[in-house]
Amino acid sequence: MKDQSLGEFEELVLLMVAALHDEAYGVAILESLETRMERKYNISAIHVALKRMEDKGFIKSHFGGITEERGGRRKKFYVITAYGKKVLDQQYELRTELYQLIPKISFSS
Amino acid sequence: MNAAPPKYALKFLRWFCREDCLDEIEGDLTELYKKHCLESSSRARWKFAGTVIRYLRPEYMKLFQRSRSHSLINISMIQNYFTLAFRNLRKRATFSFINIFGLAMGVCACLVILKYIDFETSYDTFNVNAASLYRINRTFIQNEERKSPNVMTTYGLGPALATDLPEVKRYIRTHTEHSVVTYEAGESNAKVFHEENILAVDSSFLRAFTFKALAGNLPTALDQANAIVLTQSVARKYFGAADPIGKTMTLIGGRVNGSYTVSAVLEDIPQNSHFKFDILVPLYAILQSEQYQNDDGWAWNNFITYIQLNDGASQRTAEQKFPDFCKRRLDPKWKDYNAHMELNLQPLRDIHLHPGLRGDVETVSRGTLYFFGMIAVFIVLIAWINYINLSTARAMERAREVGIKKAIGAFRSELITQFLFESVLINFISTLLAVGLAITLLPILGDIIGKELTFQFSDVRLWFALAGLSIVGALASGIYPAFVLSSFRITKVLKGNGSEGRGFSLRKALVVFQFAASLILITGTFVVYRQIHFMQSQDKGLQMDQMLVLSGPGTLPWKTAQQKLEILKDEVRKMPGVKAIATSGAVPGGGHNWGADIRKSGTPVTEIKSGSVVWVDPDFIPTYNITFIAGKNFDPQVKSDMESVIINEASLAAFGLGTAEQALKEQLIIGEDTASIIGVLKNYNWSSLKSDYTPFLFLADTIATTKISIHVAAHTIPATIEAIDERYKTLIPGEPFEYTFVDDSFNRQYKSDQQFGSIFGLFATLAVAISCLGLWGLASFTTSQKMKEIGIRKVLGASISGIVILLLRQFLQLVLVASFIALPLSWYGINTWLQGFAFHIGLHWDLFVLPIAILMLIAFLTVSMQVVKGAITNPAKILRSE
């Protein structure tokens, strides 16, 4: 059976795909991630993550129109699937649950 | 602003990347590139290229496209390939058998030859210091003429090299000896044997050469002058299960007389060692002998010198110092002779692979090994060709399968994969079979070369060879059929248009190649056997048949030995089965006593030529029945006769003696002594017919104590030997009685040629067998293809013989063409090989025609079995179902 786990970086990319909604394609995801996370990523890492998640069925893709700045290549847009959203929700819930287990005391810094 | 991304990086990306991912990747990369260009164009270019490299992952590569994107389907595809392959194997069991068995034989031959080559090249590599050990070879140059290089050197050479050259770490001298060895195990329980393989060595021997010890401390084992080191089997012979260390053995005879204490026991010498010794003793006793005490260290060339170089020193730097060394140390002696000496180093590991040096027995040339390697390649090619031929010949049969698959939607690449898969499977099965065959074949080869060869399955190289052979085999034999089979056009195939197609001419060419290769091998084998037979049966000018040779008594002092032999001679001569008896210092095929410097009396020393000298008693020449062309034999009654020399025809020209009659008036200076010539003998072959007649001299002795030759009557040999044995033992008690026949030992000189011939024959047989397997398959297939044609012809009135001839013709034509190709090649090869023999067979027509006839016959038999079967089938059976 296929691996249905969601890696840390994959989760980030998946969140970004969901957030960007209709505008999620390689460069857009990269740039939003870089601004949000304040660090550099390599586009290939994004592509690999996207491909894996597509294989797992978390996201689906469609091609956009040809634009000039892309050397005549189409954009590949990604949209999160219902299943992907469910996985994301589960992940979120799990995190929240775990977060709530933290005792309410102040931590020394 | 630079708008276009780097051209080459982009090209590369487009080349390896899957089409369906390219839009996204190239698009995104280009977009990013343009943005990065706004900052720095050069950095953007680097970044682009660097990122492209990152996409070299299986999931993006065209190469892995199928297996990745349809991984589930692929497994069932492979299962399907398996099923199909096995079905095909079963359906055509005969073909599968020919394919697999043929390939297996080819691979087996290849494995065996590889093992053989590996063995021959592994000589002396077990020595830890092999890389720094060398043997000294010397070449004597007189009047600008180079004599053949020699390994025998004087005892002064080693120490002199060690003092003069800083590169030399240590020197090791060896001297062969033989002796009678006694071990007194107790009262009247002595063990006595003739030991022929004693090596007297410097104590450094066991420090330089690494042998495995069973007992004792090897590096110091030979430090004591009376130490003796045995090999395991010798130790067992004398001591049985008892511990030999510290026991005392007595050596009598030769220069190593005395008692020795066993200091170490070695494992038996590895098969791949150029040293052949059973016993080691220190060189001390040899050097103390009278002969070498009177020698300044530069006279007697009886030692083999090895040196070990220091770690940093190279052969080149050491050899560069040799000319100067020779000038100082060696050449002054040769100045008057207009001669000088040249030394060079021979790496230890090269010794076995360097034939032709005087003093080396067991060698094999690199050329021979390359030659066998070539045969291996040929045999494997022949086997692969079989596969190609049979697979493409069956193409028509499988064309329908291909057509339907294509019609359903199979890609060509899938079909190619399928056919390659079949070939991988067949090659794999046949490699397994080949290992089995090779294990049975290897002892046969081992018998031929007299060594024990076994596959070491722990050896990684064997696995590499197996993997390599099966992978290369699968590709080499599978690619062409795969492409041919998958190339059929659907419409043409399904219409049932079974034309022969373009594959056939190539198939013919391949068959021609197979048969040409087989023919060359057959002819080669044939010639080798003929030449060996010729050398054995050729009249050598010597009586060789029924000539018994005994070793003289080695234990007795020379004078006593002479007296005893005198008596023995008289008594044996009177025995009824004995025709003649003589004593000599050496016998034919057993070398000479002295390689002497000889010149005609009255000529300057620069005229010195070397010649072989053997001491014989006056009965020797009549016993061996050598013909005089002038002069007479030694007469024991005439004192001057016994101080004379009898020469052979070859000496006449060599020493400038004129005709045989003129020579009788001349004198020769042999070494230091002068002797008049009293007889000239017709040329005879004292040693192998490989070498030409050389100057050969007999000097007289009343009794020469080394060898006793007895010409016995053929019908009473066993009884005569028994009688001689009895006399010998009563006369010389304690001396082992050992005999050989001179023709046997003479023919042993051809051992390496016989080995060559046998190995050659073995693989020629394999090659022919594989070729015929292929031909058989091809013939049966063509016949089955032509059944309809045959049926129609028969219905129309063709005779069976007519049809057989029709079908046979094309195959015999192929053999004929092969013959024309093979003829000049084998002529050239044979001619070159025969040049190595001074006496050789002529290149008669039958040498070439007979192999062709044999091959024709074999091919004819192979093919006709199939063809006749086809021709006698009832046409009604074939034509019924149209």
Side-chain angles (χ1 to χ4, degrees):
Chain A
M1 279 317 288
K2 268 187 190 168
D3 177 24
Q4 292 303 324
S5 68
L6 187 62
E8 193 190 350
F9 184 68
E10 283 176 3
E11 192 184 347
L12 274 181
V13 177
L14 185 57
L15 283 166
M16 205 40 93
V17 169
L20 288 170
H21 195 52
D22 262 349
E23 286 303 314
Y25 75 101
V27 178
I29 298 170
L30 175 80
E31 283 172 347
S32 324
L33 265 184
E34 283 181 345
T35 1
R36 292 267 169 189
M37 305 298 291
E38 293 176 344
R39 56 160 289 192
K40 292 277 176 195
Y41 291 102
N42 194 296
I43 183 76
S44 67
I46 310 265
H47 282 152
V48 171
L50 284 170
K51 189 164 171 54
R52 285 200 184 138
M53 288 194 292
E54 191 177 8
D55 286 346
K56 290 176 195 167
F58 298 161
I59 49 176
K60 57 186 182 185
S61 64
H62 60 91
F63 284 106
I66 298 169
T67 52
E68 187 50 41
E69 69 269 26
R70 295 175 59 84
R73 292 288 181 182
R74 295 172 296 174
K75 277 181 186 169
K76 194 176 183 186
F77 288 110
Y78 293 88
V79 189
I80 188 162
T81 61
Y83 175 54
K85 181 70 172 44
K86 208 174 88 193
V87 172
L88 214 51
D89 286 348
Q90 276 171 359
Q91 196 93 346
Y92 181 71
E93 268 166 40
L94 185 71
R95 297 256 164 118
T96 327
E97 256 171 55
L98 286 175
Y99 187 82
Q100 260 139 32
L101 290 181
I102 303 170
K104 298 261 185 299
I105 48 173
S106 61
F107 289 85
S108 62
S109 48
Chain B
M1 190 182 88
N2 194 347
K7 208 166 63 186
Y8 290 108
L10 196 59
K11 239 185 190 165
F12 181 61
L13 177 73
R14 282 178 186 162
W15 173 72
F16 76 77
C17 187
R18 295 168 52 159
E19 204 54 53
D20 56 333
C21 301
L22 207 52
D23 262 320
E24 181 186 20
I25 295 170
E26 194 191 319
D28 283 1
L29 284 184
T30 316
E31 204 179 320
L32 277 174
Y33 171 76
K34 290 196 172 155
K35 286 182 180 164
H36 290 144
C37 264
L38 299 175
E39 295 158 26
S40 154
S41 118
S42 72
R43 195 177 307 151
R45 295 173 76 86
W46 279 114
K47 201 171 166 73
F48 186 90
T51 315
V52 164
I53 303 288
R54 286 174 188 248
Y55 285 96
L56 280 171
R57 311 166 65 107
E59 59 254 53
Y60 290 117
M61 281 158 80
K62 279 177 188 158
L63 190 62
F64 297 95
Q65 194 162 2
R66 277 234 98 72
S67 54
R68 278 290 157 156
S69 57
H70 308 291
S71 64
L72 265 178
I73 302 169
N74 221 357
I75 289 169
S76 60
M77 264 317 238
I78 288 173
Q79 281 170 344
N80 180 256
Y81 290 161
F82 252 115
T83 324
L84 281 178
F86 276 117
R87 264 185 211 159
N88 272 315
L89 286 182
R90 257 212 311 274
K91 192 169 144 208
R92 281 293 196 152
T94 331
F95 271 108
S96 316
F97 170 76
I98 294 174
N99 263 341
I100 293 177
F101 195 66
L103 278 174
M105 285 213 285
V107 173
C108 155
C110 202
L111 281 178
V112 170
I113 293 179
L114 281 179
K115 175 71 207 176
Y116 171 71
I117 295 176
D118 178 50
F119 174 76
E120 294 288 3
T121 49
S122 74
Y123 263 66
D124 295 307
T125 46
F126 62 86
N127 262 305
V128 179
N129 305 321
S132 61
L133 283 164
Y134 299 86
R135 184 172 69 178
I136 311 266
N137 293 338
R138 67 180 171 94
T139 312
F140 189 64
I141 299 159
Q142 185 178 27
N143 300 330
E144 300 309 312
E145 184 200 345
R146 298 177 71 90
K147 313 277 170 172
S148 52
N150 200 319
V151 301
M152 305 309 287
T153 52
T154 61
Y155 78 78
L157 180 66
L161 280 171
T163 14
D164 291 10
L165 273 65
E167 285 86 357
V168 178
K169 184 174 179 185
R170 55 167 72 104
Y171 63 91
I172 309 101
R173 295 166 294 181
T174 69
H175 187 289
T176 50
E177 259 308 330
H178 53 90
S179 177
V180 174
V181 179
T182 317
Y183 170 62
E184 304 274 353
E187 267 315 290
S188 70
N189 183 16
K191 297 224 165 130
V192 189
F193 298 97
H194 254 289
E195 294 294 348
E196 296 289 337
N197 297 320
I198 300 178
L199 206 59
V201 297
D202 277 314
S203 59
S204 50
F205 184 87
L206 287 173
R207 287 192 276 273
F209 301 101
T210 48
F211 291 97
K212 284 206 184 82
L214 288 175
N217 178 25
L218 287 193
T220 58
L222 289 165
D223 287 356
Q224 302 294 321
N226 67 341
I228 186 167
V229 174
L230 309 176
T231 56
Q232 189 182 9
S233 43
V234 172
R236 210 173 282 148
K237 189 164 75 176
Y238 288 95
F239 302 101
D243 179 21
I245 299 291
K247 299 261 174 29
T248 305
M249 306 175 94
T250 322
L251 273 63
I252 306 170
R255 301 178 188 83
V256 286
N257 275 324
S259 15
Y260 290 83
T261 311
V262 180
S263 63
V265 178
L266 303 177
E267 248 178 40
D268 281 343
I269 313 291
Q271 298 186 79
N272 54 355
S273 162
H274 87 281
F275 287 114
K276 301 282 172 239
F277 61 84
D278 297 326
I279 294 175
L280 290 176
V281 293
L283 200 59
Y284 180 78
I286 301 262
L287 293 177
Q288 291 304 309
S289 71
E290 205 189 317
Q291 180 180 5
Y292 298 118
Q293 284 296 308
N294 296 333
D295 172 4
D296 59 350
W298 301 98
W300 289 97
N301 285 303
N302 286 345
F303 299 82
I304 298 178
T305 310
Y306 301 84
I307 57 170
Q308 186 177 2
L309 294 183
N310 280 319
D311 285 343
S314 77
Q315 182 182 357
R316 274 254 318 270
T317 50
E319 274 184 332
Q320 274 164 1
K321 300 190 175 166
F322 281 170
D324 180 54
F325 175 83
C326 291
K327 215 164 269 165
R328 275 184 294 115
R329 295 277 198 164
L330 290 161
D331 294 346
K333 197 177 139 194
W334 300 110
K335 223 173 180 170
D336 300 339
Y337 299 81
N338 189 23
H340 66 279
M341 198 73 84
E342 203 175 277
L343 296 180
N344 61 297
L345 292 175
Q346 183 180 31
L348 184 68
R349 285 175 294 201
D350 279 3
I351 291 178
H352 181 67
L353 300 172
H354 204 97
L357 284 171
R358 270 180 65 185
D360 276 351
V361 199
E362 213 178 69
T363 52
V364 58
S365 71
R366 275 179 213 278
T368 311
L369 295 184
Y370 285 136
F371 181 77
F372 281 128
M374 241 167 62
I375 291 186
V377 172
F378 268 112
I379 292 182
V380 139
L381 277 182
I382 289 176
W384 287 342
I385 287 174
N386 269 355
Y387 184 87
I388 295 175
N389 273 349
L390 292 178
S391 319
T392 49
R394 286 181 61 199
M396 280 307 123
E397 200 172 302
R398 304 199 62 176
R400 208 153 285 160
E401 178 190 336
V402 172
I404 288 172
K405 277 194 166 167
K406 277 196 171 175
I408 294 171
F411 289 116
R412 189 171 172 197
S413 60
E414 278 167 331
L415 289 168
I416 291 176
T417 321
Q418 187 203 330
F419 289 120
L420 272 181
F421 188 84
E422 273 178 34
S423 111
V424 168
L425 193 71
I426 288 182
N427 271 281
F428 181 71
I429 297 175
S430 53
T431 308
L432 284 185
L433 192 60
V435 173
L437 284 176
I439 289 174
T440 51
L441 190 65
L442 209 54
I444 301 177
L445 184 73
D447 273 352
I448 294 175
I449 63 167
K451 303 275 175 181
E452 246 173 70
L453 298 178
T454 43
F455 285 116
Q456 300 291 321
F457 285 98
S458 53
D459 190 346
V460 197
R461 292 175 310 156
L462 176 67
W463 294 102
F464 273 117
L466 284 176
L469 274 172
S470 47
I471 291 169
V472 175
L475 292 179
S477 59
I479 278 188
Y480 178 72
F483 274 85
V484 169
L485 289 174
S486 61
S487 70
F488 293 122
R489 305 230 164 272
I490 312 171
T491 44
K492 213 172 164 190
V493 164
L494 292 183
K495 229 163 50 187
N497 184 0
S499 74
E500 274 295 341
R502 64 195 162 130
F504 200 63
S505 57
L506 180 87
R507 209 143 68 222
K508 274 181 175 164
L510 289 177
V511 172
V512 166
F513 170 81
Q514 280 186 320
F515 275 90
S518 309
L519 197 61
I520 292 172
L521 289 178
I522 297 181
T523 318
T525 315
F526 197 55
V527 170
V528 174
Y529 276 107
R530 273 280 196 86
Q531 170 67 17
I532 292 169
H533 180 253
F534 165 82
M535 290 194 292
Q536 289 179 347
S537 59
Q538 176 78 344
D539 180 21
K540 294 161 195 79
L542 294 163
Q543 171 67 38
M544 291 272 206
D545 299 333
Q546 291 109 43
M547 189 66 78
L548 196 67
V549 174
L550 310 182
S551 295
T555 50
L556 300 177
W558 179 64
K559 231 21 237 171
T560 334
Q562 270 199 329
Q563 287 160 4
K564 298 256 183 187
L565 283 184
E566 185 100 54
I567 305 170
L568 184 79
K569 235 178 109 177
D570 278 340
E571 287 180 1
V572 170
R573 203 199 319 268
K574 288 177 199 131
M575 288 181 183
V578 173
K579 290 182 180 166
I581 177 167
T583 62
S584 58
V587 290
H592 56 228
N593 295 130
W594 183 19
D597 296 328
I598 302 166
R599 63 192 156 106
K600 192 169 90 171
S601 170
T603 53
V605 280
T606 50
E607 289 300 306
I608 277 185
K609 300 263 164 54
S610 61
S612 309
V613 174
V614 168
W615 272 276
V616 301
D617 72 12
D619 292 323
F620 186 83
I621 295 168
T623 304
Y624 275 92
N625 209 4
I626 312 173
T627 322
F628 277 96
I629 52 173
K632 60 182 181 69
N633 193 7
F634 304 116
D635 184 344
Q637 311 302 329
V638 184
K639 189 164 175 290
S640 65
D641 266 20
M642 298 302 277
E643 284 159 4
S644 310
V645 61
I646 294 179
I647 60 171
N648 66 348
E649 265 178 285
S651 317
L652 293 176
F655 306 123
L657 297 169
T659 67
E661 274 70 28
Q662 286 165 348
L664 294 178
K665 299 181 193 90
E666 301 284 354
Q667 287 188 319
L668 285 180
I669 299 172
I670 307 164
E672 313 276 283
D673 306 322
T674 311
S676 11
I677 300 166
I678 59 160
V680 181
L681 294 168
K682 198 161 174 258
N683 274 335
Y684 46 88
N685 292 105
W686 186 268
S687 47
S688 163
L689 269 70
K690 262 191 171 174
S691 43
D692 210 342
Y693 298 123
T694 51
F696 212 93
L697 283 68
F698 289 132
L699 288 174
D701 206 339
T702 47
I703 296 284
T705 58
T706 319
K707 295 282 175 190
I708 308 154
S709 310
I710 306 169
H711 187 196
V712 293
H715 51 281
T716 56
I717 291 177
T720 316
I721 291 176
E722 210 171 300
I724 299 171
D725 182 13
E726 202 248 297
R727 280 312 306 147
Y728 190 87
K729 284 209 174 120
T730 40
L731 205 62
I732 316 165
E735 180 74 22
F737 177 80
E738 284 156 8
Y739 67 89
T740 53
F741 283 96
V742 82
D743 49 353
D744 288 347
S745 47
F746 192 87
N747 288 338
R748 223 167 286 147
Q749 297 179 99
Y750 306 132
K751 206 174 126 198
S752 67
D753 298 303
Q754 259 158 347
Q755 282 176 2
F756 180 73
S758 305
I759 301 175
F760 207 173
L762 186 70
F763 292 113
T765 317
L766 267 179
V768 174
I770 301 172
S771 306
C772 282
L773 262 184
L775 194 66
W776 184 48
L778 213 54
S780 82
F781 193 81
T782 345
T783 314
S784 72
Q785 285 281 297
K786 291 199 170 166
M787 283 312 257
K788 248 170 221 165
E789 183 190 330
I790 295 169
I792 292 168
R793 278 176 190 271
K794 278 177 91 173
V795 167
L796 293 177
S799 67
I800 290 180
S801 58
I803 290 169
V804 170
I805 291 170
L806 181 83
L807 291 172
L808 271 180
R809 208 173 47 198
Q810 51 169 331
F811 289 106
L812 293 184
Q813 266 171 0
L814 294 184
V815 178
L816 263 183
V817 175
S819 313
F820 280 114
I821 295 172
L823 215 58
L825 290 174
S826 42
W827 183 85
Y828 174 76
I830 290 166
N831 206 19
T832 318
W833 185 73
L834 285 179
Q835 292 312 314
F837 295 85
F839 301 87
H840 58 78
I841 51 174
L843 291 170
H844 292 301
W845 59 271
D846 60 327
L847 281 180
F848 301 97
V849 174
L850 269 180
I852 294 178
I854 292 171
L855 191 66
M856 280 279 206
L857 188 73
I858 298 175
F860 177 80
L861 288 177
T862 320
V863 175
S864 54
M865 264 197 307
Q866 294 300 317
V867 165
V868 170
K869 207 164 76 189
I872 56 176
T873 320
N874 187 349
K877 268 188 189 156
I878 316 160
L879 297 177
R880 188 163 54 187
S881 58
E882 181 62 22

